[in-house]
Amino acid sequence: AKAAEGTVPDDAPSAEPEAADTGTKRKFIPSEAKRDVNSRKQRLDMIEGTSSMAAIRAANEAADRAAEATKPTPVAPIPSPSTVQAMTQQQIFDTPIDWNTLTAPSSEFRSQLRKWVSAKIMDYIGEEEDTMIDFVLDQILDKRCTPAEILEEVGVVLDDDAETFVLELWKRLILQDTTVEIG
């Protein structure tokens, strides 16, 4: 019969010579397989004036969290004009705006948006109202107001055209382009 796996039968030859037969002592070699690696950890002596391991770990974890918080969030790609055109009003208003790109110092978007807002205000009320144009640009680019907040503010002046104006405005903010023709 076969011996159980991992056991050596009594009649099997030994790899080491019997100590009793040779009259010499065998050297003890501890088995690595049965050693508990955690049983004899060395103690780290802390140098006076240094932080404890727990304090160092806490500082490292805090630094990792801070680095993660400052990591730039990935920006969604700009959808095509046809995609934006097919969106519902709620989808348009819920689409995140990449404000950092729109308000970057190198961005020409502010001047483009000023021209577009000026033309729309001229269409709706018949004259170029600088105060209204500045107000809309301030609300959007500086204060980053929501569509609902802007709709409430411009609704007083534009009445029924306010919703159309804000919807078209938000489409242009999503596309980051005021020159695109959107239905």
Side-chain angles (χ1 to χ4, degrees):
K2 284 189 174 180
E5 191 174 313
T7 62
V8 178
D10 293 333
D11 58 344
S14 175
E16 296 181 20
E18 294 280 330
D21 293 343
T22 62
T24 61
K25 290 185 178 181
R26 291 185 300 166
K27 182 178 178 184
F28 175 73
I29 302 173
S31 169
E32 294 292 324
K34 295 181 181 179
R35 177 185 257 179
D36 181 10
V37 293
N38 294 324
S39 66
R40 300 188 73 201
K41 285 189 176 179
Q42 291 181 346
R43 181 173 179 214
L44 295 175
D45 291 328
M46 301 305 291
I47 299 171
E48 193 172 317
T50 61
S51 300
S52 69
M53 294 301 288
I56 293 170
R57 180 179 295 122
N60 286 341
E61 288 172 354
D64 290 345
R65 283 191 300 275
E68 189 67 32
T70 59
K71 185 189 287 186
T73 55
V75 177
I78 298 172
S80 68
S82 60
T83 303
V84 173
Q85 184 60 32
M87 295 171 132
T88 65
Q89 178 176 334
Q90 191 59 47
Q91 289 172 323
I92 290 169
F93 289 167
D94 289 342
T95 301
I97 304 295
D98 182 9
W99 294 109
N100 293 331
T101 301
L102 294 179
T103 59
S106 62
S107 174
E108 295 178 21
F109 187 75
R110 183 180 287 270
S111 63
Q112 290 177 358
L113 188 61
R114 182 174 191 76
K115 290 175 188 173
W116 184 84
V117 170
S118 178
K120 286 298 176 180
I121 298 296
M122 182 75 161
D123 288 346
Y124 291 135
I125 61 176
E127 61 183 274
E128 190 172 308
E129 182 63 45
D130 286 335
T131 306
M132 175 86 170
I133 295 165
D134 291 338
F135 174 79
V136 169
L137 292 174
D138 180 60
Q139 294 296 302
I140 294 168
L141 298 176
D142 296 332
K143 295 183 181 175
R144 300 179 182 179
C145 291
T146 65
E149 293 169 332
I150 296 170
L151 184 60
E152 183 179 327
E153 295 293 333
V154 299
V156 175
V157 177
L158 299 179
D159 295 325
D160 297 334
D161 295 325
E163 190 171 317
T164 304
F165 172 74
V166 173
L167 187 61
E168 286 184 38
L169 174 63
W170 224 255
K171 287 178 183 178
R172 291 174 191 304
L173 291 174
I174 293 169
L175 294 172
Q176 299 179 12
D177 189 357
T178 60
T179 61
V180 175
E181 283 300 318
I182 307 172

